[in-house]
Structures are given as C-alpha cells and as structure tokens.
Amino acid sequence: MIAQLLDFDLTPPPGSIQEEGAFATQVAAAAPHNGKALAIRFSPEGEHSAIHFRPAAAWDWSNLEEFHIALDASNPGPEPMQLFLTLTDSHGTSLNRAVNIAAGEQGTYYAVIAGQFVDKEVEAISSKTSTAPPWASDEEMFVFRFGSRDIDLSAITELSLWVRGTLEEKQLLVDNIRLRRNLAYDPSYLQKFVDQFGQNAKADYPLKVHSQQELQDAANAELAALAASGALPDRSRFGGWKDGPRRQASGYFRTEKVNDKWWLVDPDGYLFFSNGLANVRMANMTTLTGVEYRDPSVRYVDPGEVTPEDSIGIVTVSDEVLQTAYVAAPLRRDMFTWLPDYDDELADHYSYRRSVHKGPLPSGETFSFYRANLERRYGQSSEESYIRKWEEVTLERMLDWGFTSMGNWVDPAFYPNQQVPYFANGWIIGDFKTLSSGHDEWSPMPDSFDPEFVRRARITVGVIAEEIQGSPWCVGVFVDNEKSWGHPSGSVSERFGLILDALSKNASESPAKQAFTKRLRDKYGAIANLNKQWRTDVQSWEAFAAGVTLNEFPQPALDDFSTLLAMLSEQYFRVVHDALEEVLPNHLYMGVRMAGWGMPQETIRAAVKYSDVLSFNSYKEGLQPNAWSFLDEIDMPSLIGEFHIGATDDSGLFHPGLVSAENQQERATMYLNYMNSVLAQDTMVGAHWFQYIDSPITGRTYDGENYNVGFVSVTDIPYPEMVEAARTFNTALYRKRYGKKP
C-alpha cells in the first residue's frame, strides 16, 4: 500500500464528508471491514445520490507513476448497484470509473489511475472504454466511464462515491480506501484475445461458439423455432392493440390522448406503443484491424455526401489501394488470433473508415466479424444471400419476441418491409457554420441560422423521403441525435457554452452572431443599456458584433443567454420541421433524441413547438418520477430513444455499457424494471433499446464502444434471458399500458 486515504475507524475521518441525496453513518462492521465502516444509503429520489470526500489539503499524487485506488465494499441491500468513483482536481476536471456490485456481494474493488494501463486503454481501444484487466486478480476492476484521464494528480480535491438514476434505494458498506501500486502486468493481456469468430479467446461463457458447425447448428435450431412462431395474437397488422379500443384510422401513424394517457395510433386506428430495438444495422459494427493504407485516395470525402461516416456500410477497397497496406498500430493488430487474407472468401467483410471519432487510429482498415459470422451461419448461395437471410430472420425475431417496432438507425433495407413498423432517420451534415459548447460530446452544433444548414437539412430530408416512399409502416422520422445544446444545470459554460462561443465570434462570419446581435440591439437600443445590465464596457454595437468575451455573468446577462439559447433552438427545430412538412407531411417528426447532458429547458421548449413527439435518450436504471415530472407539465407524447443494460460476467466482453448488471439474468430483470418505469409515465408512447447487436470486443470503429448491450451476440445468437424478458413484457404490454378493460 502506498497511502491510506480514508479509514473509517477514525472518528471523524480526516477532511470533510458531504452528503448529496445520500446518508452516511460510521458503523461497526464484520469482515472484510474489520472494525468500523461507512454505511451509505443512496436515495432514489434525485438524479444523483453521492458522498463526497474532501481532504483537508489536496492530495498530491504527481510523483506516483503506477498506482490505483482500492476500496473494500459490500452491498447488504436487495438491489444491485452500479457504483461510480470520481476523482476531481482543483481545476474542476474529473475522472469517472464505475463497477457493478451485486446484491449481497462483497470484496475489494480497484480503479487504475495512472500507469501503462491507462495509456494502453487509449492506444488499444479508445479513450471512451476499457480493456481486459492488466493483471490476474480475484478483485474486480472499475471500468472507465467518462471524464478526463488527464486530471491534475498534484491537486486532487475530492473523491466521490455515487449512483445515478436509480429506482430503489441502494446500500453500501465501504472501508479502507487506499492507494496501492499496480501489480506486475500480464504481458499478454492485450495479445491474441479475439478468436476467429470475434469472441473472447481467453474466456468461456454460455453463448460462446467453438466451431462453424456449432454456429450452424444454433442457426438451424432457431430457424425451426421461428418457423413455428409469429406475431402475438392481440396485435393488429401494424403491431397495434387489436383487442383494444379502435380510434379513427388516418392511414398513417399519429398521436392521441386516450383516458389521460398519450398513445400512438397505428394507420388502421389501433392504439400503439412503440417498444423496439434501435440500431438494427451493421453499418457501425466493424472494428479497426490496425492496418492503414498509404494511398490517400481512399480517404477522399465528397463534400456532397449525406451519410455520416458511422452510418456507411461496407466500403470496398481497390486492389491498387490494398497494395499500399501497412500495420499502423501493432498493439491493436496483435489482438487478433485470426484475420482473413485478402484472397480469403471472408475478405469481403473488410472495409475502410476515413475518419474516427475516438480511437487508436484516426482512420483505417476495418473488419466485421458479425457479417462474417452471418456468412458462416447461412452460407452464400448468391451474392450476399446471407444478408437477405439476416433481414428475414431479424423481422421474424421482432415478431416472435413481441416487439412492436424497430427504433432509430434501422438499415434502410428494412424500409420496404410490411411486417414490423420502423422509424426512419437522417443526419444533417455539410460545410455549414458551427458553434462549440466547449463540452461537445460528439461534434460541434450546427449554426442553424446559416443558409447552408437550411439547404443541407432539406437535402437530408429529401433523401429520407426517397427511402421511405411514403410508407405507412414508417412511424416517424428522427433527424440528428444527442446534440450538444448544453447541460440542463451546472456552470455558465456548461449551460450556455453555445451562446458564449457565438458572442465571441465576428458577426460577419457567424449567422448566429448576426441574429443574436440584432435581437439584443432591438431589446436594448443603446449599447450603454446593455453595458449597464451586463456590467460590460463594449464601445459600440459594431464592437459587440466583432466579438465579445465576458468575465462575469450578472443575472440580466444570464436571462439574455437563456433567450438566445431558446432562439437558436427554435431556429433549429423550425428548419427541420419545415423541411419534413414539405415532403413528409403524413409522418411524425420525432425530434432529436436529446441526451441527459444536452437537454436544457430552453431546447425542450423549442422542441415542443415543432415536434410531434419529444424524444430523449436516458441511460439510467429507469425513469425516476421526480426527474421526469416536467413531462406532465408539457403534456405531449414522448419517447425514450435509447437505453440499455450490459454485463461482463457471462458475456466475454470487457465493458458492460452505460448501465451495468452482474450477469444476463440480472440484465433481463433490469430491462423489465426500466420498461415498467416507462409504462408508469402517462406521456410516454414508447422506448427503444440500444442496440440489437453487441459491440465488437475490440470496440466499434467510430468511437471504440465495446459494450455488452445487444439482444444478440457477435455470432448472432440471442441472449435467452433477454428474449424471455422481452416476451414477458410484450405479452402483457397493451393491457398493462391501458390500465383497465377497454
């Protein structure tokens, strides 16, 4: 051990303890705590429930090179817990890691803070996710979740333990929080851990496939079962509630409030609730091989493209380009026990990505083990016949599992289907002006006042219209996803970073700045009036238009920032709404799927004005009534566009995803809990699980996510616990949602 940070045998422990929606008490505890421990009860009433430990003087760990934090913990409660550990430095930068502690579980848990392992996580997978533990141990490792690995280790001012988005109270006994030196690394922990099927080569688990014959036998058994199955008997042809009250049929999906609950109504007039799987596609299921090409022509991007990089399918590389291949990332290349030669029959599952959001290479060759496994499962009687079989089986699964729809990011190949309703989607990309919040998760925000943005929005929507051909099977349209509008709370920069960025720009180069300058000039008239309210000393409106940077933020300025954010948000939603209304007037505008970190009230209010259904992505254990009570005030139909739960214990993967369970059975139970919390919200008209297929164990190409979040594995074998949970929920869905006999 290097140093003891917190020992709860001391009364009180050094420094201070702050409770945030949690309650902590020092108690006598049995082994492994050996003396006193801190008993924490995390409340489900708030979005976050935390205990913050603050040392009397900042911890200085800058002289340490290889170390981790360890703690002894036990979960005496009846509920599993995803426990977050956060370190915060004096600059406010934080590092967040998480671990799952099952009900009744106890042990030692560790979070690697510095050393080769931290560097190799980024080099091997990406800066977002985690790899295998670097040394053999019975202890469990915290996985990386979010924040910065580059915190200032010379000035650590806070260590926090917390949970978020819980539906039930969580209990934790914690003791002996300490710094330890990293153990000797297993030199092979990042070598040859991916087998020929894209599975974990170094572990065995229930769904693991050991031969092609075993893979084909599993496929044949499932095909026989699906042939004897079909849609649930209470379903209309569009998946609505055939046994329920029938409303007016419009020929397309629409919304209606029935008995104080919002519903979707299917084209034939039956009540409809959208429960489905998102990302039913293979476009983002490839993984980087570590190979790059010297020929730069493969990286050319047509400025007129409408499909973003992560939504492009297999890209065929010419023989000329293949001749320039070289190993650009040896560590990554050495992860695979097998990759096909370029003349192998499975080589058509190689592809290329011209740009990567976060990963070990900025671009490079990719391979899809999932597609290769489909060819192994079904064979190839004609060109890509295994893909056609996959499409057929996928639709049969949706009906057999009881899902009413497919969610966002469905492969357009499913659009002509007339078995399962779907949601169309599109991205507005192009060479328009942007704004940066300073906290952009995926990319800067488009400047929605830019005429080029308006033009590109119309092009995007036009492509969507061509793809769906006015089909009544299309429930609605999502455009864009998880934009960085700003945090709903926090610092001025977190809340209004977009506005601060716009104000700093020259109006001659920023359409948003032009619009903001006009709005403020109309409000204040003379620049002196703005200076008085904002406590600034801007010499003229011309100087204001040229760019201003604020150092203090009085309330009148904050009020104006709020107005400008609402103005920017309204312009965005107006542009998209008008483009959809012009060419797809019969289809619902489903909004932009706002993430929890990007849903300020100003943007929500703008979405209300122009969307038919509000959409949110919420990665929690469920919908907490207090956190979502604002929907009752808005009173319009809403939908969860993404949620998931994953596990590493019996999946072979290294990262559970954004919400964790102990194993597949617990994962299934948590799925049911989440969906039941959605049904309890009268405004909710659906929820979509993200995603259909597990991420690759070496991380998807775009951002390195390597999560166990699929209903099916990399070998396309369904997780039986998840399938059974879905059938259980979906069989009772409509009667439970309606709440009384029709």
mmCIF file of all heavy atoms in Angstrom, residues 166 458 633:
data_model
loop_
_atom_site.group_PDB
_atom_site.id
_atom_site.type_symbol
_atom_site.label_atom_id
_atom_site.label_comp_id
_atom_site.label_asym_id
_atom_site.label_seq_id
_atom_site.Cartn_x
_atom_site.Cartn_y
_atom_site.Cartn_z
ATOM 1 N N THR A 166 -31.412 5.794 -10.124
ATOM 2 C CA THR A 166 -31.842 4.529 -9.538
ATOM 3 C C THR A 166 -33.341 4.548 -9.244
ATOM 4 O O THR A 166 -33.931 5.598 -8.993
ATOM 5 C CB THR A 166 -31.077 4.230 -8.245
ATOM 6 O OG1 THR A 166 -31.350 5.265 -7.289
ATOM 7 C CG2 THR A 166 -29.587 4.182 -8.506
ATOM 8 N N ARG A 458 -32.733 20.345 -45.949
ATOM 9 C CA ARG A 458 -33.695 19.963 -46.984
ATOM 10 C C ARG A 458 -33.186 18.785 -47.809
ATOM 11 O O ARG A 458 -33.954 17.895 -48.184
ATOM 12 C CB ARG A 458 -33.990 21.164 -47.877
ATOM 13 C CG ARG A 458 -34.824 22.241 -47.181
ATOM 14 C CD ARG A 458 -34.966 23.476 -48.045
ATOM 15 N NE ARG A 458 -35.833 24.465 -47.410
ATOM 16 C CZ ARG A 458 -35.912 25.736 -47.784
ATOM 17 N NH1 ARG A 458 -35.157 26.178 -48.799
ATOM 18 N NH2 ARG A 458 -36.726 26.565 -47.153
ATOM 19 N N GLU A 633 -46.164 18.513 -17.090
ATOM 20 C CA GLU A 633 -46.494 19.917 -17.329
ATOM 21 C C GLU A 633 -46.542 20.220 -18.820
ATOM 22 O O GLU A 633 -47.401 20.974 -19.291
ATOM 23 C CB GLU A 633 -45.458 20.806 -16.634
ATOM 24 C CG GLU A 633 -45.375 20.595 -15.120
ATOM 25 C CD GLU A 633 -44.211 21.344 -14.501
ATOM 26 O OE1 GLU A 633 -43.635 22.209 -15.187
ATOM 27 O OE2 GLU A 633 -43.869 21.064 -13.337
#
